[in-house]
Amino acid sequence: MGILEVQNVNKRFGGLQALNNVNLNVEKGSVHAIIGPNGAGKSTLLNCFVGRLTPDTGSVMFNGKSLLGIKPHQINQAGVSRVFQTPEIFSDLSALENVMIPAFAKRDGAYKLNPFRRVTQESEIRDSAEEVLRDVGLADRKDLIAAEMSRGDKRRLEMAMCLVQDPELLLLDEPTAGMARADTNKTIDLLKHIGETRGITKVVIEHDMHVVFSLADKISVLAQGTVLVEDVPENIKGHPKVREAYLGEAQV
Amino acid sequence: MLKLDSKDTRLFLIVIAMTLLAPFILNPFPEGSNLAQFNAGYPDLMQRFVIFGIFAIGFNLLFGLTGYLSFGHAAFLGVGSYASIWMMKLLTVNVIPAMFASVIVSGLFALVVGYVCLRRSGIYFSILTLAFAQMSFALAYSVLTPLTGGETGLQLKAADPRILDFGAAEGSIGRASFFGIDMRASMELPVGSWLFTLNFGYYLAAFVMLIAFYVSIRIFRSPFGMMLRAVKSNQNRLNYTGVSTKPYTLAVFVISGMYAGLAGGLLVAMDTQVGPERMFWTASGEVVLMTILGGAGTLIGPVLGAGFIKYMENIVSKINSKTLEAWFGFLPDGLEDALITIVYPFVGKGWHLTLGIMFMLVVIFLPGGLVEGGKRIGGWLTGKGRKSKTDGGQEATASTPAE
Amino acid sequence: MDAILLQTLNGLDKGSAYALIALGLTLIFGTLGVVNFAHGALFMMGAFCAVTFNKLLTLSTITLDPEKKDFLGNPLQVRTPYIEDWLGPELGAAIIDWSVPLAILFAIPVMIIIGLVMERGLIKYFYKRPHADQILVTFGLAIVLQEIIKFYYGANPIPTPAPSAFAGSFDFGALIGMDPGTIIYPYWRLVYFAFALLVIVAVFVFLRFTTFGMVVRAGMADRETVGLLGINIDKRFTIMFAIAACVAGLAGVMYAPINSPNYHMGMDFLVLSFVVVVVGGMGSLAGAVLAGFLLGILESFASMTQVLDVLPGINQIIIYLVAIVVLLTRPRGLMGRKGVMED
């Protein structure tokens, strides 16, 4: 049984069938990539996992429990973290604070109202945040206000915010979009590294085939809201349906 | 000290020193001199400095940290005032129970209002709080007259039961006191041609403000405060990070309402009367103004803003055409008249015009308020502040090397 | 039945004012994305356009009439407005009598200029700032405007009469076949309602049937795309701001006879108009108009003695109460669009 099981998910926006009977089975500890042309419904699908959207029909089960109908923070507390396509960070706060907040959420649950605890008391939280910042290569920039960071650093920061929670499932929406090749390779290394040391299951949306084939254990190809194929990378490369989906798009 | 880091300790010590020495610092001009009208060291005004300081500190906890702009905070101040005066009428003229009552009642009221209003954010939240405050004002003015005294408001009366003040001066009007010490008790201290007034009421209010200020520092420096800043920065991210934001915003809304209630209670303790105009939405606007002017989201800003506005209000509104003539009298007649004509609309009754202009200038040019202004000046003076001239994030982002 | 009709009619004039102010607020919000707390001040400025125009018309020469004495025994001062000198006493007097409707002609250019100056001089710098900043700066501006008016016109309301032809009331009940005397309604309120409808229709026609209006509506729906088409949307939005200012101003001009203008009338109406906008649905023009009339009429019903007996004070809070209920049950208001102000 997979850690994330998606069955017959449908989502319509007005006249557009964004997701059409999508099935997905992500195995524990694996890296599952979702690829497909623009507008295939990849981000929509991810939004259904974190409570941003609710599918019209179908089920999304995480560790045997449904993720539908519960709030985003409950989904996160259940062990799902997400990196967004455009970095969602706390721009007015320092990098360290950005990472400490998810660490607090992991330890204290959805809320803990104690106005008289001091941040300086929380050395454990601070240490774990600094450790993750080191992992993503931001140790020297931890006191920088997030808004002042470069785009690549913001992405790394967001990744750190997810990693510090040690999620069971990490959702990544185009983690390398707009990155230079060197940065992309660094990110691949980072993701591999996390895979080995922490054993986090990952679902990655990606356009860059280099990234997909270096990371993925399994690939689902999505086109026009439908899963065309789900298979291991070797079998995806030459698959006629995949070629059709991509080339078909190119010919139009 | 007091579980504060060294920087905060220094700030807190400065604030303590300033409040304790206020009767002297604020009276720099000798009695009877031309400039004596600029003195602010008399009890009534100083009390208002610290009381509105409390109000603004509390407002800043909500607005400065979370960015939720409440336009109805005067309602909590009013409710606190009413609670306080009823306590004095029914139980005792001792201000301590009255202050507790004002904090508790306004806290409960804030819990109800906040529970409803916080279901929306942004401008909707502002309008909802405004609607609640206006409703409270309208009700206090009309239907709730038995409870609020309607338009005339409430004062202490000789006939008040005051059941805990056993027979104390039967049939006389009570005076607010602290275990027997009259709020109005003052000691006059002539030094040369200066006259300093040390007032008990002021020191009590100042003490309360120092506690309120200390609590606000602790909130700022707590994980709770960090979460509140995260709410302001990116509420969505916070949700996807596993944090439920509502308990945080509601908690700080209630705390903020309690601060406002405490300020209202203290107002009654100093001057035992209350009317509904205290809850009118312009009063809510005033506290917004104090906070912005001083610097929203900073520790000391609200206190500075409250002091600055109350001082200006008091001084500027006292200036009349005679004062102006005295000032510009040395100038040639034509110039004198011209200057008086120009300045006249801004002083005296025109104080609100000055206030409005000041408000606009601050929002336009100095969104960080007086605190930011001070920092910039400090930066220029030390010569390394060139960079802080640029407008924060954008410039800095542009100057970082491309990826 | 007649009671219901009466209250509906009574609610129309306030409802009209709410609708006009809310319409302008929504236009500004929808086009420029700015929350304008100074909009009530524009309404107030409009009312003072009527006052000023009246004062201008009645500028007089003062002559002494030796034959008549005032109560102190001095020769009576006779004020003859210049306009009566120039145009003859009858025409002059008629023009003065009609000063409020005529003030519309005066108010249109004045309000447009005020609108343009406001937008170009202040508001345009706040497009990209947070809504809180917009609220604060326009709030400051509202204080400034109202204090200026207070300085020049004093704090007391200034009675500004309607033309004598519309003074007084008529028997509306008898007109529609009811018993005489059941519904007595002042003429001017009916005029105000008709005027408000006219302005509202004009704005809607303008937005629907002119290219200018089409571009503006498209801009309201999706500013970026319209900008990509190479259309200078900002310039049009500036003009829309002036139009919105003008609508608020006209609402104020014609309101002057109903409620003698005072310097704080703008703020009084602003708070309620904002509630109206929110109830109608931020960004929905039709919603603003509908909610304006609805709340005006509702307020009028709440002031019926029969209602007040059961729910004392309800007339004071009904609008706020409705706003709270609507916001909590239908967050987008009655006719609000998805995605407006939901960040």
Side-chain angles (χ1 to χ4, degrees):
Chain A
M1 194 185 88
I3 188 168
L4 180 72
E5 288 188 337
V6 179
Q7 276 176 356
N8 302 325
V9 162
N10 282 286
K11 181 76 192 173
R12 275 189 95 84
F13 295 115
L16 176 77
Q17 185 81 34
L19 295 175
N20 189 3
N21 266 332
V22 172
N23 290 292
L24 207 66
N25 191 351
V26 180
E27 279 176 37
K28 197 171 169 66
S30 70
V31 178
H32 195 123
I34 302 173
I35 63 172
N38 280 326
K42 303 185 297 289
S43 288
T44 308
L45 186 61
L46 230 54
N47 285 340
C48 289
F49 300 164
V50 292
R52 186 174 259 192
L53 290 175
T54 313
D56 301 333
T57 58
S59 73
V60 178
M61 306 294 274
F62 173 68
N63 271 339
K65 281 186 206 148
S66 175
L67 290 184
L68 303 183
I70 61 175
K71 299 215 169 86
H73 73 262
Q74 294 168 315
I75 293 176
N76 176 283
Q77 290 290 349
V80 183
S81 286
R82 174 173 178 185
V83 173
F84 288 82
Q85 200 173 340
T86 42
E88 289 264 358
I89 51 175
F90 305 113
S91 321
D92 312 322
L93 274 56
S94 75
L96 182 62
E97 287 172 323
N98 263 281
V99 185
M100 282 174 81
I101 284 169
F104 277 123
K106 173 81 178 176
R107 190 194 69 187
D108 297 341
Y111 59 92
K112 185 176 186 190
L113 308 175
N114 183 353
F116 291 106
R117 252 195 110 68
R118 280 165 292 140
V119 173
T120 44
Q121 275 175 306
E122 309 279 2
S123 47
E124 267 174 48
I125 296 279
R126 196 188 167 88
D127 291 346
S128 65
E130 283 181 344
E131 189 191 320
V132 178
L133 278 171
R134 222 174 6 253
D135 282 351
V136 300
L138 289 175
D140 54 333
R141 270 155 281 182
K142 66 182 162 73
D143 294 321
L144 211 63
I145 299 298
E148 297 175 6
M149 296 178 119
S150 71
R151 235 178 106 85
D153 282 356
K154 282 180 186 166
R155 282 181 177 283
R156 270 197 283 271
L157 178 62
E158 195 184 18
M159 202 114 52
M161 292 165 71
C162 292
L163 294 179
V164 78
Q165 295 194 313
D166 241 334
E168 272 187 80
L169 175 65
L170 178 59
L171 308 173
L172 300 132
D173 197 344
E174 301 196 24
T176 65
M179 276 191 189
R181 177 57 63 181
D183 275 342
T184 305
N185 286 334
K186 261 198 248 169
T187 310
I188 293 174
D189 288 345
L190 175 69
L191 288 173
K192 274 188 177 163
H193 171 71
I194 306 162
E196 281 155 17
T197 54
R198 302 189 188 226
I200 300 171
T201 313
K202 290 184 274 291
V203 173
V204 188
I205 291 182
E206 189 54 75
H207 274 300
D208 189 331
M209 289 306 135
H210 170 64
V211 179
V212 172
F213 287 107
S214 354
L215 281 176
D217 299 316
K218 209 171 204 186
I219 297 176
S220 293
V221 183
L222 209 63
Q224 289 170 347
T226 322
V227 177
L228 295 180
V229 209
E230 181 178 319
D231 212 332
V232 291
E234 300 82 74
N235 298 342
I236 291 289
K237 272 183 188 162
H239 203 289
K241 274 189 175 175
V242 180
R243 295 174 68 107
E244 192 192 313
Y246 275 91
L247 295 178
E249 188 194 34
Q251 278 163 0
V252 174
Chain B
M1 193 190 87
L2 286 167
K3 301 188 172 172
L4 300 179
D5 69 18
S6 59
K7 212 175 126 204
D8 292 336
T9 308
R10 202 168 62 221
L11 178 69
F12 190 44
L13 287 176
I14 293 174
V15 172
I16 292 176
M18 297 281 276
T19 35
L20 291 184
L21 298 175
F24 304 98
I25 299 170
L26 295 174
N27 253 5
F29 306 111
E31 203 61 16
S33 74
N34 233 347
L35 294 169
Q37 58 184 323
F38 292 109
N39 281 339
Y42 48 92
D44 179 46
L45 184 56
M46 288 194 303
Q47 287 166 5
R48 268 183 285 154
F49 285 170
V50 289
I51 292 173
F52 281 92
I54 295 172
F55 191 17
I57 292 172
F59 182 79
N60 185 46
L61 287 175
L62 177 69
F63 176 62
L65 287 176
T66 68
Y68 276 80
L69 176 58
S70 159
F71 244 84
H73 247 52
F76 305 122
L77 183 105
V79 167
S81 290
Y82 284 119
S84 174
I85 200 144
W86 273 113
M87 213 55 185
M88 287 185 170
K89 277 166 135 1
L90 298 178
L91 281 184
T92 165
V93 287
N94 192 330
V95 296
I96 298 300
M99 268 155 56
F100 273 105
S102 60
V103 171
I104 291 166
V105 173
S106 56
L108 289 174
F109 186 53
L111 187 66
V112 176
V113 174
Y115 183 79
V116 178
C117 295
L118 285 166
R119 295 174 62 169
R120 299 279 163 264
S121 60
I123 173 130
Y124 291 113
F125 172 80
S126 301
I127 301 277
L128 274 173
T129 48
L130 181 62
F132 264 106
Q134 284 298 88
M135 253 167 54
S136 315
F137 168 75
L139 291 177
Y141 214 84
S142 58
V143 187
L144 295 180
T145 302
L147 219 57
T148 62
E151 196 180 346
T152 38
L154 294 173
Q155 300 82 25
L156 292 188
K157 295 249 167 62
D160 293 335
R162 293 164 55 196
I163 48 175
L164 288 181
D165 292 350
F166 306 101
E170 196 84 30
S172 68
I173 297 176
R175 301 175 75 170
S177 68
F178 175 75
F179 300 106
I181 309 173
D182 193 328
M183 282 297 125
R184 278 176 273 184
S186 289
M187 192 174 84
E188 300 213 324
L189 201 68
V191 179
S193 51
W194 281 267
L195 180 70
F196 302 113
T197 315
L198 305 179
N199 166 262
F200 181 76
Y202 166 72
Y203 277 107
L204 185 78
F207 181 70
V208 176
M209 190 211 66
L210 288 174
I211 296 176
F213 185 63
Y214 173 73
V215 171
S216 122
I217 301 181
R218 290 295 299 270
I219 292 178
F220 264 70
R221 302 292 180 237
S222 66
F224 174 74
M226 196 194 270
M227 290 296 181
L228 295 177
R229 284 189 294 138
V231 168
K232 180 180 187 173
S233 190
N234 190 341
Q235 185 149 188
N236 270 334
R237 175 78 256 184
L238 205 51
N239 282 326
Y240 292 115
T241 300
V243 176
S244 172
T245 49
K246 182 84 187 272
Y248 284 98
T249 46
L250 185 58
V252 78
F253 191 86
V254 171
I255 293 174
S256 175
M258 286 160 89
Y259 268 74
L262 178 64
L266 275 171
L267 278 178
V268 169
M270 300 302 142
D271 182 12
T272 50
Q273 55 163 346
V274 50
E277 73 287 341
R278 200 167 279 186
M279 308 170 91
F280 196 56
W281 71 277
T282 46
S284 299
E286 199 183 49
V287 71
V288 179
L289 222 142
M290 289 171 176
T291 310
I292 304 275
L293 183 73
T298 63
L299 280 168
I300 190 70
V303 184
L304 290 180
F308 189 79
I309 284 185
K310 283 292 154 191
Y311 177 75
M312 294 290 280
E313 177 182 10
N314 203 57
I315 301 302
V316 175
S317 59
K318 268 200 301 198
I319 300 171
N320 53 31
S321 53
K322 283 224 178 74
T323 334
L324 289 178
E325 275 165 31
W327 284 0
F328 300 126
F330 67 95
L331 294 166
D333 270 357
L335 196 58
E336 182 192 339
D337 290 347
L339 267 178
I340 289 179
T341 320
I342 294 170
V343 176
Y344 185 69
F346 297 94
V347 297
K349 283 181 187 162
W351 143 249
H352 279 107
L353 181 57
T354 315
L355 187 73
I357 290 173
M358 231 160 56
F359 192 39
M360 284 175 68
L361 291 178
V362 168
V363 180
I364 296 169
F365 297 110
L366 207 63
L370 293 174
V371 169
E372 194 193 316
K375 272 188 193 152
R376 282 193 204 176
I377 292 170
W380 286 327
L381 290 180
T382 55
K384 48 183 178 182
R386 302 274 148 159
K387 234 183 138 190
S388 66
K389 243 171 81 180
T390 57
D391 224 336
Q394 286 181 340
E395 300 282 335
T397 316
S399 65
T400 44
E403 292 159 36
Chain C
M1 178 61 207
D2 48 341
I4 290 175
L5 190 62
L6 180 67
Q7 294 308 328
T8 309
L9 284 172
N10 279 341
L12 281 183
D13 59 324
K14 262 201 171 166
S16 307
Y18 293 152
L20 286 176
I21 302 174
L23 181 69
L25 271 176
T26 307
L27 270 179
I28 292 175
F29 181 76
T31 52
L32 307 173
V34 168
V35 182
N36 182 19
F37 256 53
H39 207 68
L42 292 170
F43 173 73
M44 182 264 303
M45 305 276 274
F48 276 89
C49 277
V51 172
T52 313
F53 193 64
N54 183 277
K55 282 200 169 167
L56 286 176
L57 288 181
T58 49
L59 279 179
S60 312
T61 49
I62 297 175
T63 47
L64 293 181
D65 186 343
E67 307 206 342
K68 292 178 185 160
K69 305 275 185 209
D70 68 5
F71 63 95
L72 289 174
N74 299 320
L76 186 70
Q77 290 184 345
V78 178
R79 304 170 69 96
T80 320
Y82 287 109
I83 197 156
E84 290 184 13
D85 274 353
W86 298 336
L87 300 175
E90 267 153 49
L91 185 56
I95 289 178
I96 291 173
D97 184 36
W98 282 76
S99 72
V100 169
L102 287 174
I104 291 174
L105 300 175
F106 171 72
I108 289 175
V110 171
M111 293 311 298
I112 285 179
I113 290 170
I114 292 176
L116 289 177
V117 169
M118 229 171 110
E119 202 274 338
R120 285 290 93 184
L122 180 72
I123 307 285
K124 77 165 176 187
Y125 301 103
F126 278 79
Y127 291 163
K128 297 244 162 66
R129 301 266 293 259
H131 286 302
D133 283 6
Q134 299 170 352
I135 293 178
L136 294 169
V137 83
T138 49
F139 177 62
L141 180 66
I143 296 175
V144 169
L145 290 177
Q146 89 173 32
E147 290 301 314
I148 291 175
I149 293 292
K150 185 177 160 198
F151 181 76
Y152 285 105
Y153 293 87
N156 295 324
I158 303 169
T160 313
S164 48
F166 294 112
S169 307
F170 66 105
D171 196 331
F172 188 81
L175 218 64
I176 54 168
M178 288 179 167
D179 295 334
T182 39
I183 298 179
I184 306 292
Y185 198 65
Y187 281 112
W188 187 257
R189 295 193 176 201
L190 209 62
V191 171
Y192 191 75
F193 175 59
F195 173 77
L197 280 188
L198 195 74
V199 173
I200 290 165
V201 169
V203 169
F204 274 83
V205 165
F206 176 73
L207 285 178
R208 186 147 299 270
F209 297 112
T210 62
T211 4
F212 185 100
M214 242 168 61
V215 174
V216 168
R217 276 191 301 134
M220 280 173 86
D222 186 350
R223 186 171 189 157
E224 275 176 29
T225 312
V226 177
L228 288 178
L229 297 174
I231 295 168
N232 183 355
I233 198 78
D234 280 3
K235 195 173 150 195
R236 286 160 210 264
F237 282 178
T238 306
I239 296 172
M240 272 330 284
F241 189 93
I243 291 176
C246 200
V247 169
L250 292 182
V253 170
M254 297 292 275
Y255 205 71
I258 297 177
N259 215 341
S260 301
N262 60 33
Y263 72 97
H264 55 76
M265 67 190 289
M267 287 295 189
D268 303 345
F269 269 89
L270 174 83
V271 175
L272 291 169
S273 300
F274 250 109
V275 171
V276 167
V277 170
V278 170
V279 169
M282 214 82 191
S284 160
L285 293 170
V289 173
L290 181 76
F293 282 113
L294 216 62
L295 290 183
I297 291 168
L298 210 59
E299 197 181 14
S300 157
F301 274 104
S303 348
M304 288 166 76
T305 42
Q306 295 94 316
V307 177
L308 287 177
D309 285 346
V310 187
L311 297 162
I314 187 76
N315 58 332
Q316 309 263 356
I317 60 167
I318 180 78
I319 290 192
Y320 303 113
L321 216 54
V322 170
I324 290 166
V325 171
V326 166
L327 269 186
L328 294 178
T329 51
R330 279 186 71 99
R332 287 181 201 124
L334 295 176
M335 301 177 74
R337 279 179 299 147
K338 197 178 173 173
V340 177
M341 294 288 305
E342 283 176 37
D343 36 53

